[in-house]
Amino acid sequence: MSNGLFIIQLAKIINLSNKKYKICFIVGTLTCGGTERQLYNYLKSLISTEFTPYVLCLTKGDYWEEKIIKLGLPIIHAGSKKFALYKLFKLFINIRRINPDIIYSTHFYVNAYAGIIGRILNIPIIGSVRSDFFSEIDALNFLYKKFAVRYPSVLIANSKKAIENIKHLYNNLDIRLVNNFVDNNKFYFVPKEESNSFIILTVGRLTHEKRHDRFINIIKNIINSVGNQYHIVGVIAGSGRINEDLELKLKEQARKLGLGDNNL
């Protein structure tokens, strides 16, 4: 997605009129992840537009923090403690002071904070849903789920599957599809010389929601389709997290499919 397209989509969601808008992003973390990269690209695209962005983060000292500050955008730390009510209070005080026109929650579990504060202050709330939705709600209790889904004015999903799954469980939601932002100034097609060797890369945490198991099956199907005509190599780049690391399981899957080290 280009910078301009994101602005157009956001404008449609909130029914822009001709004025300067203050938009307050509430962020769960700024670690080195896909959601955080999306936020960085959004912030970069909003500079010198009708939006003035503010960033409130629940953590401190993460990977993207310095990069966002270099954009000229200060980061307000709002809640290093574990207590949810403390975080809610800190966010409320800062958002009331900023008095934004829009609150934008970038992580699903932060939707609850954004939704409650937006309802109290009568500010439109944009909530986020990533992946297939089910992986988002598994870690939340009933009350968090309700606030995270029902309280935002609009929900933005980055996949059609997430929208389908949400609508299967909840009625009367305003949910829109906004595809992941790709910086086309950094990632662009470069023609290469013809070759019989192809490397196919996927990047992501070694956790179930990234579906690396499907990637391995795809590599196997491609190899079966092209035979010896081409040399296909699949590469998975990523690491697990403390409570989940599928590296051994994925290696075992590849072994059972007959994929050796020269293929994956």
Side-chain angles (χ1 to χ4, degrees):
M1 179 186 292
S2 68
N3 293 356
L5 185 55
F6 171 69
I7 298 297
I8 292 170
Q9 293 228 27
L10 189 55
K12 287 180 179 179
I13 288 170
I14 60 175
N15 299 316
L16 268 182
S17 58
N18 294 321
K19 61 170 286 188
K20 190 78 173 178
Y21 273 80
K22 291 192 288 186
I23 177 167
C24 189
F25 289 89
I26 303 180
V27 185
T29 71
L30 288 171
T31 53
C32 190
T35 300
E36 294 78 12
R37 176 177 285 279
Q38 293 298 306
L39 170 67
Y40 176 80
N41 287 331
Y42 289 166
L43 293 171
K44 192 175 180 180
S45 73
L46 290 173
I47 294 173
S48 301
T49 69
E50 60 268 41
F51 294 94
T52 301
Y54 297 81
V55 181
L56 278 71
C57 187
L58 298 180
T59 58
K60 191 173 184 179
D62 291 331
Y63 175 82
W64 285 102
E65 181 173 316
E66 183 179 353
K67 298 180 183 295
I68 291 173
I69 291 173
K70 285 182 178 179
L71 293 177
L73 302 174
I75 295 173
I76 301 169
H77 301 286
S80 58
K81 297 183 183 295
K82 294 182 179 180
F83 302 110
L85 287 177
Y86 175 81
K87 294 176 182 178
L88 181 64
F89 175 73
K90 288 279 289 184
L91 288 168
F92 177 81
I93 293 299
N94 281 284
I95 291 173
R96 186 174 63 177
R97 175 179 57 81
I98 294 170
N99 191 28
D101 298 283
I102 313 150
I103 299 173
Y104 194 141
S105 165
T106 63
H107 294 81
F108 180 74
Y109 65 92
V110 181
N111 287 0
Y113 297 111
I116 292 171
I117 294 169
R119 294 281 184 113
I120 294 172
L121 298 177
N122 195 29
I123 299 172
I125 312 114
I126 299 175
S128 296
V129 179
R130 316 292 296 183
S131 191
D132 65 353
F133 177 62
F134 290 136
S135 60
E136 297 271 47
I137 64 175
D138 286 346
L140 300 181
N141 62 39
F142 172 78
L143 200 57
Y144 260 95
K145 290 176 187 177
K146 180 179 179 180
F147 289 153
V149 174
R150 290 293 188 186
Y151 272 37
S153 313
V154 179
L155 284 172
I156 287 179
N158 68 337
S159 73
K160 293 180 180 178
K161 190 64 177 178
I163 295 177
E164 178 185 324
N165 290 338
I166 291 174
K167 289 184 174 180
H168 182 72
L169 295 177
Y170 297 92
N171 297 318
N172 304 318
L173 292 177
D174 188 352
I175 180 166
R176 319 288 182 90
L177 175 68
V178 175
N179 294 313
N180 282 342
F181 188 119
V182 176
D183 187 347
N184 51 19
N185 293 317
K186 182 174 293 186
F187 298 97
Y188 50 89
F189 176 73
V190 178
K192 294 184 178 181
E193 295 181 3
E194 290 190 12
S195 172
N196 291 333
S197 181
F198 290 89
I199 298 174
I200 305 174
L201 170 69
T202 183
V203 181
R205 285 193 311 273
L206 303 183
T207 53
H208 76 282
E209 69 270 14
K210 300 304 181 182
R211 299 311 306 264
H212 294 302
D213 57 318
R214 288 184 177 176
F215 176 79
I216 293 173
N217 289 333
I218 290 170
I219 294 297
K220 177 62 176 177
N221 290 337
I222 293 174
I223 291 173
N224 289 343
S225 297
V226 302
N228 295 325
Q229 185 177 1
Y230 298 101
H231 179 222
I232 306 297
V233 178
V235 177
I236 300 175
S239 60
R241 52 190 171 204
I242 294 175
N243 61 345
E244 185 180 12
D245 190 337
L246 298 182
E247 181 176 354
L248 294 178
K249 186 175 181 180
L250 294 172
K251 285 182 176 179
E252 179 64 14
Q253 178 189 348
R255 186 190 67 78
K256 288 181 178 179
L257 290 175
L259 298 175
D261 293 339
N262 63 329
N263 293 123
L264 187 71

